[in-house]
Amino acid sequence: MSDIIHLLPDSIANQIAAGEVIQRPASVVKELVENAIDAGGTHIRINIKDAGRTLIQVVDDGKGMSETDARMAFERHATSKISSVDDLFSLRTMGFRGEALASIAAVAHVELRTRLQGAELGTKLSIAGSTLEEIEPDACTTGSIFSVKNLFFNVPARRKFLKSNETEFRNIINEFERIALVNPQVALELNHNDTEIFNLPESGLRQRIINVYGKNLNQKLLSVDAQSSLVTISGFVGRPDSAKKRGALQYFFVNGRFMKHPYFHKAVMQAYEQLIPPGEQPNYFIYFMLDPSTIDVNIHPTKTEIKFENEQPIWQILMAATREALAKSSAIPTIDFDVEDAIDIPVYNPVKEPDGFKAPTVQLDSGYNPFKSSAPSSYLPSSSSGKRQEFDWSQLYQGFESDRDAVRRDLEMMGEVLDAEPEVPSAPVEPVAGSEALFVETTNPCYQYKGRYIITSLKSGLALIDQYRAHVRILFDQYLNNMRQQKGASQQVLFPEIIEFTAAEAAVLPSLLEDMRFIGFDLSNLGNNSYAINGLPAGLENVDQVILIKDIVARAIETGCEVHEEICEAIALSLAKAAAIRPGKVLSADEMDHLIATLFSCPDSNLTPDGKTIISMLTDDELEKRFK
């Protein structure tokens, strides 16, 4: 039998490695920009075409490469950062494994133009699918220009499974923001289809965060600073009143590298305990600096998951530092006795009374005796002569016997009515498929409990209905139907409000505007990621429109914005939750009847769109068991 095991060709091995390292266009941007930073670039420009499908170009002013280095850079595991095994435990650069350029060149057309500082000529190199096509001298600027074209041209399956341009570009923006937040000393520029998205100059850390996410964030950031022999923690956390349910800005960085760490996230959340409502998330930008030998960044191809040698002590330091930042900024309520505008309370001096001050005196009637009938009393009417008038107490009982007889007769008549068989007009509701056991046979009385639950009798027993969730279900179906039929009533606002989006949110918004218009939103683009709110769906006049639209965009980002139906459902759910009656609202009997009837006409009356229970049934058998 012949041997069947053989070595893979380099081109195939590089494509396999590309499947781990280069997952999408955003991965190419991340690797190329990190290489530019490692090369000492102080100004980096990124040009994107068609969300990276057509072109990804990274231009830097770093130290550049020689002809030999330019050719070796595309070989697998070629690196300038590691010489021995010990170097793996003292890494201070972004890239080190030497897989990025080899993986990119295996699945795209790559052109590199680079020149060393002080050299007269540079080098131009072209590679397609790991095959070197051209290398020649070139008159280029100092630094490097990487141009990646036709990504995944030789892997059709990978290219087919790329998401929409909006989604892919949003992922590019996410990678760009992570790099920008940890490298404020580097000027960064991002252009998409010849449109400038970011232009970030060199700045301090706080100013870089504001440049990326807008000036409105400036007043919401609290400084964090903790130094110890184990770790140095710095950065910013958000004020408790800036927390939100979705779309929070949460970033951890260690030694200049972005990371995801759920364990440290819990430390921050514990510091905010009792300060923010359950389910809301605070903003934070936290930077760790520690000995590289105490962490391992080489456990994941994308290097976003990092192991720490001293996780538990760092967890405690992080939580304490966050709590200290919240306390120092008066985020935790305190009593301040040194306020300038405090009321001036005079000090009592028993020796010398202040000018104009006299002790209060009490007037007493020494002749008053409540047990003597002749004594004057303020409780009994008196004549004009000042003498006490005798009061006929028997007048209080006049008519008492006759009133008692009248009440007795009314109770007897009421008992006869209660004993009689009640005549209730029947009002059957059309049953929906799957809910035959729930529909109301007759118009039974409804009762509201604590302004939140509606109790009524159904065919299968006693029903407890959450009025807020029921209204969410009803409104969700209405808004979704309006979008499908492309109709919706809009209420124009008298004074349009301006809403500002981040670059990631602005990249998603164009795919939502048409569906939002169908249900009544009227937004006009003002440029620079700002929009004017000119109209809202009817019935939402008292809702915070900025928070509502931000929530819609955040939900659309969570769904991925890939399927049109999912986008519509995300918009309808956000709108329904904002417009539904709040828990605690007192409803009239007619309102409860209408709510229940409308609920049972919905296709699914048992669950909300996000899977929460609307109706809890207490059957007749369960009632009987409770009274045994």
Side-chain angles (χ1 to χ4, degrees):
M1 179 181 291
S2 60
D3 298 332
I4 60 174
I5 297 177
H6 60 278
L7 294 176
L8 286 174
D10 289 343
S11 59
I12 298 178
N14 288 338
Q15 286 192 15
I16 294 173
E20 297 179 352
V21 180
I22 310 302
Q23 301 175 356
R24 58 196 340 149
S27 305
V28 177
V29 174
K30 172 183 180 293
E31 299 292 348
L32 294 182
V33 175
E34 288 180 349
N35 285 344
I37 293 174
D38 287 341
T42 58
H43 187 281
I44 302 173
R45 185 174 72 254
I46 307 163
N47 299 317
I48 307 293
K49 293 287 182 68
D50 299 329
R53 299 170 188 264
T54 304
L55 173 68
I56 299 173
Q57 186 181 66
V58 177
V59 183
D60 69 75
D61 59 351
K63 56 189 177 183
M65 290 180 284
S66 64
E67 180 179 341
T68 303
D69 287 344
R71 178 65 188 89
M72 287 294 297
F74 290 93
E75 294 295 333
R76 195 176 182 195
H77 303 312
T79 179
S80 63
K81 285 95 181 235
I82 298 176
S83 300
S84 64
V85 176
D86 295 336
D87 294 336
L88 284 173
F89 303 101
S90 58
L91 290 170
R92 295 189 181 275
T93 56
M94 303 302 294
F96 56 89
R97 289 197 296 247
E99 291 182 325
L101 293 182
S103 300
I104 294 171
V107 293
H109 294 93
V110 180
E111 179 184 277
L112 169 61
R113 301 175 65 190
T114 181
R115 180 164 71 92
L116 280 172
Q117 293 180 356
E120 295 183 358
L121 286 175
T123 302
K124 179 181 178 182
L125 180 146
S126 299
I127 296 179
S130 297
T131 303
L132 178 63
E133 294 185 340
E134 181 184 9
I135 181 169
E136 61 182 7
D138 185 64
C140 58
T141 60
T142 301
S144 301
I145 304 175
F146 280 91
S147 300
V148 179
K149 304 176 183 178
N150 304 321
L151 187 63
F152 299 129
F153 78 98
N154 55 351
V155 191
R158 294 291 301 278
R159 189 176 179 89
K160 183 180 69 173
F161 283 101
L162 289 177
K163 305 298 183 180
S164 64
N165 282 356
E166 292 81 5
T167 301
E168 295 299 342
F169 183 61
R170 190 179 72 250
N171 287 314
I172 291 175
I173 290 177
N174 290 339
E175 292 293 349
F176 178 88
E177 290 173 347
R178 293 171 181 176
I179 296 172
L181 291 174
V182 80
N183 295 283
Q185 77 284 357
V186 179
L188 293 169
E189 182 181 343
L190 176 63
N191 302 297
H192 184 224
N193 293 336
D194 299 324
T195 301
E196 184 180 275
I197 306 300
F198 285 104
N199 191 350
L200 307 176
E202 298 180 24
S203 63
L205 183 56
R206 188 185 189 100
Q207 186 60 43
R208 174 55 62 90
I209 295 174
I210 295 170
N211 290 340
V212 173
Y213 293 112
K215 59 184 179 181
N216 293 334
L217 193 61
N218 186 27
Q219 303 299 325
K220 302 176 182 179
L221 296 180
L222 310 174
S223 298
V224 175
D225 188 14
Q227 297 184 4
S228 67
S229 59
L230 189 65
V231 64
T232 298
I233 299 177
S234 60
F236 304 93
V237 295
R239 291 183 176 275
D241 56 3
S242 66
K244 45 190 176 181
K245 291 186 177 180
R246 55 183 56 84
L249 306 173
Q250 299 178 338
Y251 294 95
F252 285 125
F253 302 95
V254 56
N255 291 355
R257 186 189 305 275
F258 170 78
M259 71 168 180
K260 299 176 182 177
H261 210 291
Y263 184 58
F264 289 163
H265 171 75
K266 291 180 180 178
V268 178
M269 293 303 299
Q270 185 162 336
Y272 278 88
E273 198 173 17
Q274 306 299 328
L275 294 179
I276 60 177
E280 293 196 354
Q281 298 285 329
N283 299 322
Y284 58 75
F285 305 85
I286 298 178
Y287 300 78
F288 300 86
M289 292 298 296
L290 66 166
D291 186 354
S293 62
T294 62
I295 61 174
D296 185 4
V297 301
N298 195 28
I299 64 172
H300 194 274
T302 60
K303 300 185 284 289
T304 57
E305 298 178 9
I306 298 176
K307 284 186 177 180
F308 287 75
E309 183 179 338
N310 303 297
E311 278 191 347
Q312 187 171 1
I314 294 176
W315 190 95
Q316 296 172 347
I317 295 172
L318 174 60
M319 186 187 68
T322 305
R323 280 186 172 175
E324 183 181 7
L326 294 172
K328 283 184 177 180
S329 64
S330 300
I332 298 176
T334 58
I335 300 176
D336 190 358
F337 294 98
D338 299 326
V339 181
E340 295 181 359
D341 297 334
I343 300 174
D344 186 15
I345 302 176
V347 180
Y348 174 69
N349 189 345
V351 178
K352 181 181 179 181
E353 294 181 351
D355 296 339
F357 176 79
K358 293 182 179 180
T361 59
V362 180
Q363 300 295 332
L364 299 176
D365 185 1
S366 57
Y368 173 71
N369 188 343
F371 300 101
K372 292 182 179 180
S373 60
S374 60
S377 174
S378 60
Y379 297 99
L380 296 177
S382 59
S383 62
S384 58
S385 61
K387 295 182 180 180
R388 176 173 176 261
Q389 293 182 350
E390 295 295 334
F391 183 77
D392 188 4
W393 296 99
S394 62
Q395 296 178 0
L396 291 175
Y397 297 94
Q398 288 183 357
F400 177 77
E401 294 294 335
S402 59
D403 291 343
R404 185 172 59 180
D405 295 340
V407 171
R408 184 184 296 109
R409 288 194 300 270
D410 292 341
L411 290 176
E412 291 175 354
M413 294 177 62
M414 186 178 296
E416 296 177 0
V417 173
L418 292 176
D419 293 338
E421 193 69 25
E423 296 181 3
V424 181
S426 61
V429 178
E430 290 293 334
V432 183
S435 62
E436 290 81 358
L438 291 179
F439 72 91
V440 188
E441 289 185 334
T442 59
T443 306
N444 294 323
C446 301
Y447 305 94
Q448 191 177 28
Y449 179 67
K450 291 189 175 180
R452 180 172 181 179
Y453 303 102
I454 299 175
I455 304 174
T456 188
S457 174
L458 301 182
K459 181 179 180 180
S460 57
L462 194 64
L464 284 78
I465 302 173
D466 189 308
Q467 67 184 36
Y468 169 72
R469 294 181 181 179
H471 203 201
V472 168
R473 176 80 255 180
I474 295 169
L475 293 178
F476 173 82
D477 292 340
Q478 292 177 357
Y479 289 133
L480 196 59
N481 186 56
N482 289 341
M483 281 187 284
R484 289 170 177 168
Q485 298 181 5
Q486 300 185 2
K487 65 177 184 179
S490 178
Q491 179 68 42
Q492 296 297 305
V493 297
L494 185 59
F495 300 103
E497 187 166 354
I498 307 300
I499 179 172
E500 295 183 357
F501 296 97
T502 64
E505 293 171 338
V508 174
L509 196 58
S511 62
L512 307 177
L513 288 178
E514 185 177 2
D515 291 322
M516 294 175 68
R517 180 173 57 83
F518 290 151
I519 55 177
F521 283 101
D522 183 7
L523 302 180
S524 57
N525 191 352
L526 302 179
N528 198 24
N529 299 337
S530 298
Y531 284 76
I533 307 174
N534 302 317
L536 294 171
L540 294 180
E541 292 78 9
N542 297 325
V543 176
D544 190 322
Q545 47 195 324
V546 173
I547 295 179
L548 173 60
I549 295 176
K550 285 275 190 178
D551 183 72
I552 291 175
V553 175
R555 284 186 181 274
I557 291 176
E558 288 180 359
T559 59
C561 294
E562 291 304 315
V563 183
H564 177 75
E565 185 68 16
E566 291 182 359
I567 297 176
C568 294
E569 290 179 358
I571 296 175
L573 181 57
S574 296
L575 210 57
K577 287 187 173 182
I581 53 178
R582 312 314 299 178
K585 179 178 174 57
V586 179
L587 302 179
S588 65
D590 292 338
E591 289 174 332
M592 288 187 285
D593 288 339
H594 179 72
L595 184 68
I596 294 174
T598 310
L599 174 64
F600 289 144
S601 65
C602 294
D604 185 2
S605 58
N606 294 324
L607 299 174
T608 61
D610 49 354
K612 296 181 179 178
T613 303
I614 299 176
I615 304 174
S616 178
M617 292 298 304
L618 190 61
T619 63
D620 296 338
D621 294 339
E622 291 174 338
L623 283 172
E624 291 179 1
K625 290 180 181 178
R626 289 176 180 269
F627 290 97
K628 283 185 178 179

